[in-house]
Amino acid sequence: MGKKLFIKTYGCQMNVYDSARMADLLTPLGYGITEDQADADMVILNTCHIREKASEKTFSELGRLRAQRHERQQSGRDTIIAVAGCVAQAEGAEIMRRIPDIDIVLGPQTYHRLPEMVARATRAREEKLGRSGKPFRGANLLDTEFPAESKFDHLPEAAAPQGVTAFLAIQEGCDKFCTFCVVPYTRGAEFSRPVQQITAEARRLVDQGAREITLLGQNVNAFHGEGPAGGSWNLARLVRHLADALPDLRRIRYTTSHPRDMDDDLIRAHGELPQLMPFLHLPVQSGSDRILAEMNRQHDADHFRRIIERLRKARPDIALSSDFIIGFPGETDADHRATVKLIEEIGFAQSFSFKYSARPGTPAAVLERQVPESVMDGRLQEIQALLERQLTEFNRATIGRRVPVLIEKPGRHPGQMIGKSPWLQPVHALLPAGTIGREVEIEITELKHYSLGGQPTGLQPAAGFAAEPQPERAIA
Ligand code: SAH
Ligand code: SF4
Ligand code: F3S
């Protein structure tokens, strides 16, 4: 009988991608994914270290997991517990010390060694359990190396299709060392996959039904992968190549970008390639030049403004999203006002804002003048309210417009389908099931919280949920 694997994923899309690859790697060992943690023979926590809160979750979740393992052991069933991802990389030894019954701790760059580790953990647990008859503490296998070989060279073909929209990691790691950030330490040095490897994976995804691919990397626009005939390709060239090589790939996105790496080529591609979606997540963190310098972002606020200007010239309907850190050490009211001003000037379709979290080992953590929590709270509230207003405004502006929606899956109501607009807005409409994987033109008629509702323009207006929808008009 097959064994059951439960993976809990925290953090960014890179972790989502990695979790899927770990599942692929364990398929040959007989593991299939379960959604029921209590029933799992193996649980992997794929963790995130970016802020203190994210990282603390690992330890509380491990506590729950051990209790659950104990319960399963009462009925003669065992559970392998593994911690992967960025907390594993940063605090692997500490996890082993604090929680002796852990079996496996592995960093983001060694997950291709997981099958070997699982085989060893299984043997160790079986031997020791059999010998003593008592619950056994843990296999204690730790691998947080940054190996010379690339994990991507050791991946089996993806076992389960990802669906209409898929992630594809093309770049990993970071050499930028922003003073607040753990990523350069948890993911290691910047590294790009070769173009041929990426193209092969993209082709497989499209063959399995993907119509949209989001190219992933911690600094995805710093991509410099080896081209098929040698030499180094930039992201724009890769995107053009994928758009050319894969006619069934309707939409391409990429995330996360750094303002320093938005080159002319990439900006031009936004104006020239219909497959490249008019939505860009470009974290700026702050609107204050002084804080940007302290953060070691290596650009000022005007550099960001100029990029946005050029992007909008190339692709007037481009929507923007960003990340903001509120309360970086030394942030004054004037710095905060500069961030508010930048947000007001640009107008974002969506954004994320976080209170600064001091991370162990980062230069900013030991800076004096850490901002008091209450001050951070006030500033965060102001920024979040502003971003929320901009999001609602942006969504409201689509009402009455006809937009191409890539249909992804059935919605909650009978007959309802859900998809995304080019600007990443969730859209629902009454449509036949056969529309999954197709772009359908929808006239947007309503805004509900964060999603939009509408009518397919090629259909008779549907009379209630029971109505039998007519064949829709797909957008050519
Ligand atoms: N590579 C991306 C960001 C990766 S981390 C970039 O360069 O922009 C994702 C986001 O988490 C960051 O954009 C930042 O806004 C936030 N973040 C990172 N470290 C943080 C910290 N110590 N405290 C609060 N937010 C942080
Ligand atoms: Fe972190 Fe800065 Fe690298 Fe982004 S660019 S991952 S924020 S160090
Ligand atoms: Fe978190 Fe690591 Fe991603 S720290 S945000 S999971 S790169």
Side-chain angles (χ1 to χ4, degrees), residues 146-316:
F146 287 116
E149 82 271 12
S150 157
K151 63 188 180 189
F152 297 112
D153 295 342
H154 301 270
L155 290 178
E157 300 222 339
Q162 289 192 45
V164 174
T165 60
F167 287 145
L168 201 174
I170 63 166
Q171 181 274 347
E172 268 237 56
C174 180
D175 294 337
K176 293 213 165 53
F177 291 94
C178 301
T179 55
F180 53 81
C181 184
V182 294
V183 171
Y185 313 99
T186 62
R187 295 272 166 174
E190 207 171 299
F191 161 84
S192 296
R193 294 175 73 181
V195 170
Q196 265 172 332
Q197 200 182 62
I198 295 167
T199 310
E201 189 167 326
R203 178 163 287 129
R204 227 163 29 235
L205 289 168
V206 172
D207 287 348
Q208 289 172 339
R211 294 296 170 263
E212 171 179 309
I213 292 182
T214 302
L215 306 173
L216 298 180
Q218 264 94 21
N219 270 277
V220 74
N221 57 342
F223 176 80
H224 57 272
E226 189 195 324
S232 156
W233 282 28
N234 63 12
L235 180 60
R237 191 161 178 197
L238 174 71
V239 169
R240 284 177 198 279
H241 171 70
L242 292 176
D244 260 5
L246 304 166
D248 287 337
L249 179 59
R250 309 299 302 261
R251 295 181 167 192
I252 302 174
R253 303 180 187 275
Y254 59 93
T255 199
T256 299
S257 299
H258 193 290
R260 285 253 306 171
D261 297 315
M262 281 312 295
D263 60 26
D264 290 341
D265 240 10
L266 191 53
I267 293 176
R268 212 175 314 118
H270 273 282
E272 292 170 2
L273 281 179
Q275 291 94 331
L276 195 51
M277 287 293 101
F279 182 98
L280 179 65
H281 180 62
L282 193 62
V284 63
Q285 317 298 355
S286 171
S288 153
D289 289 345
R290 208 179 56 81
I291 294 294
L292 286 171
E294 290 278 315
M295 288 175 162
N296 188 31
R297 293 290 291 182
Q298 300 172 48
H299 67 84
D300 57 15
D302 278 344
H303 174 80
F304 186 78
R305 289 187 178 93
R306 279 194 303 273
I307 292 172
I308 304 301
E309 212 174 283
R310 281 156 60 213
L311 274 164
R312 284 181 166 156
K313 217 173 190 176
R315 180 84 206 228

Side-chain angles (χ1 to χ4, degrees), residues 61-105:
E61 188 60 32
L62 277 173
R64 270 196 293 279
L65 262 180
R66 292 155 75 206
Q68 185 186 302
R69 163 148 87 188
H70 187 72
E71 233 167 73
R72 289 187 92 230
Q73 279 172 338
Q74 307 305 308
S75 55
R77 295 177 304 166
D78 196 22
T79 318
I80 293 180
I81 300 181
V83 183
C86 292
V87 180
Q89 186 65 45
E91 297 178 20
E94 171 73 4
I95 295 173
M96 283 287 184
R97 196 183 58 77
R98 270 172 65 179
I99 309 172
D101 54 357
I102 285 282
D103 295 302
I104 294 170
V105 172

